[in-house]
Structures are given as structure tokens and as C-alpha cells.
């Protein structure tokens, strides 16, 4: 039993001696985000607001946020189911400024499918899924907002959010 203790003690001492000679563990460094890589994929995350006025089916206005410029929208009617109205449509955005210089001067032609909810009390709720058809390689936006029928011409205010790839 004495020889087992001696062997165990020798092993512990050898491990301790080797550990003392091991290199110092590197201190982990928190990586910093590299914004220099942003946009190098050719895809840009965008968000902002579209404010338009008009009367069904045509609306026009301005775009603000990551994309700045003008917009023109034509809305269709694809039926209703209770308080939910199906609205396919098209939108053209002329980009004249914003936070994505690569899109300035581009005309984005979009198609969308919207579901609007008319509860009969207050503005009509708008929800759209938009696909970029031309002006960029691809893109998808969602928009959410309101159609106010209590003013004339009618007023549309929607927020947009999505990705556009050149």
C-alpha cells in the first residue's frame, strides 16, 4: 500500500511540475463587429415609412428611412372574407436618397399581396408582403400600417422592413 501512495504522490508532483511549465492560457478577446463587411454581400436591410394619399385604386407619396424618395401605388381588390379584405397591388419607389448609397437613383418595381382589416371603427389596418420585381436582383419587404378614410384624399401610412439585394 505504501508503494501505491508513493506512486500516486509521484504522479501528482509530475503533473504539477508539467503544469507549471505549460504556456499561459490566452485571455479571450471579445470580437468586435466589423461594419466594413456590411453590404459586401450586395444585400441591404432596410426599414422606414411610406406615406401616401389618394383614392382607391391609386395612391402616391413619399418614402423615408433607409430608402428616401417617392412612391406610387395601385391597389386591387381580390375579395373579402368578413372584415378581412384581400388587396393585391403594385408599387413603384424612386429612390433619391437614404442610408444605402448603392440604391440611390434606382427605381424599384414591386408587387404585393395585402390583407387589410376593416373593423368599422377607425382606420383600416394594412398588412402587405412585397416582392421586388425589378430595379434590384431580389428583395422582400413587409409593410404594416393604416388607411385613414376620414380624410380626403385618403391617407396611407405604413412602415416597411425587409432586405433588398443588388
Amino acid at each position: 500500500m505504501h508503494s501505491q501512495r508513493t506512486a500516486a504522490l509521484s504522479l501528482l508532483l509530475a503533473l504539477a511540475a508539467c503544469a507549471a511549465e505549460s504556456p499561459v492560457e490566452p485571455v479571450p478577446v471579445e470580437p468586435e463587429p466589423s461594419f466594413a463587411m456590411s453590404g459586401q454581400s450586395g444585400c441591404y436591410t432596410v426599414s422606414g415609412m411610406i406615406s401616401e394619399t389618394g383614392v382607391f385604386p391609386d395612391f402616391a407619396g413619399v418614402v423615408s428611412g433607409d430608402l428616401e424618395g417617392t412612391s406610387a401605388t395601385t391597389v386591387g381588390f381580390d375579395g373579402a372574407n368578413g372584415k378581412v379584405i384581400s388587396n393585391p397591388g403594385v408599387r413603384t419607389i424612386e429612390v433619391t436618397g437614404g442610408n444605402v448609397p448603392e440604391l440611390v437613383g434606382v427605381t424599384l418595381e414591386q408587387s404585393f399581396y395585402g390583407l387589410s382589416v376593416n373593423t368599422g371603427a377607425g382606420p383600416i389596418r394594412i398588412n402587405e408582403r412585397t416582392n421586388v420585381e425589378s430595379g434590384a436582383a431580389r428583395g422582400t419587404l413587409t409593410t404594416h400600417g393604416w388607411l385613414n378614410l376620414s380624410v380626403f384624399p385618403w391617407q396611407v401610412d405604413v412602415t416597411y422592413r425587409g432586405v433588398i439585394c443588388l
Side-chain angles (χ1 to χ4, degrees):
M1 177 155 283
H2 178 61
S3 64
Q4 288 177 344
R5 283 188 200 171
T6 305
L9 184 59
S10 297
L11 179 61
L12 280 173
L13 290 173
L15 288 174
C18 289
E21 294 175 12
S22 67
V24 176
E25 285 188 39
V27 176
V29 176
E30 191 68 29
E32 294 184 30
S34 173
F35 294 110
M37 296 296 290
S38 177
Q40 287 188 5
S41 67
C43 294
Y44 302 89
T45 302
V46 295
S47 63
M49 187 83 172
I50 300 172
S51 298
E52 299 177 323
T53 58
V55 178
F56 182 84
D58 297 313
F59 296 84
V62 296
V63 180
S64 59
D66 291 327
L67 304 176
E68 293 178 357
T70 60
S71 65
T73 302
T74 300
V75 180
F77 178 76
D78 197 23
N81 186 2
K83 297 176 180 185
V84 178
I85 305 161
S86 297
N87 299 106
V90 293
R91 178 176 292 123
T92 300
I93 295 178
E94 297 276 344
V95 182
T96 58
N99 296 329
V100 185
E102 293 80 0
L103 291 172
V104 174
V106 170
T107 299
L108 299 171
E109 299 287 342
Q110 305 169 336
S111 65
F112 65 83
Y113 188 78
L115 292 175
S116 301
V117 180
N118 185 358
T119 63
I124 297 171
R125 178 82 175 139
I126 298 172
N127 300 287
E128 300 168 342
R129 179 177 166 87
T130 303
N131 292 311
V132 174
E133 302 294 341
S134 67
R138 63 187 176 279
T140 302
L141 303 174
T142 58
T143 61
H144 302 286
W146 302 97
L147 166 62
N148 186 350
L149 300 176
S150 68
V151 296
F152 192 83
W154 298 341
Q155 184 173 354
V156 173
D157 289 303
V158 293
T159 58
Y160 67 87
R161 176 170 293 162
V163 175
I164 297 176
C165 301
L166 297 177

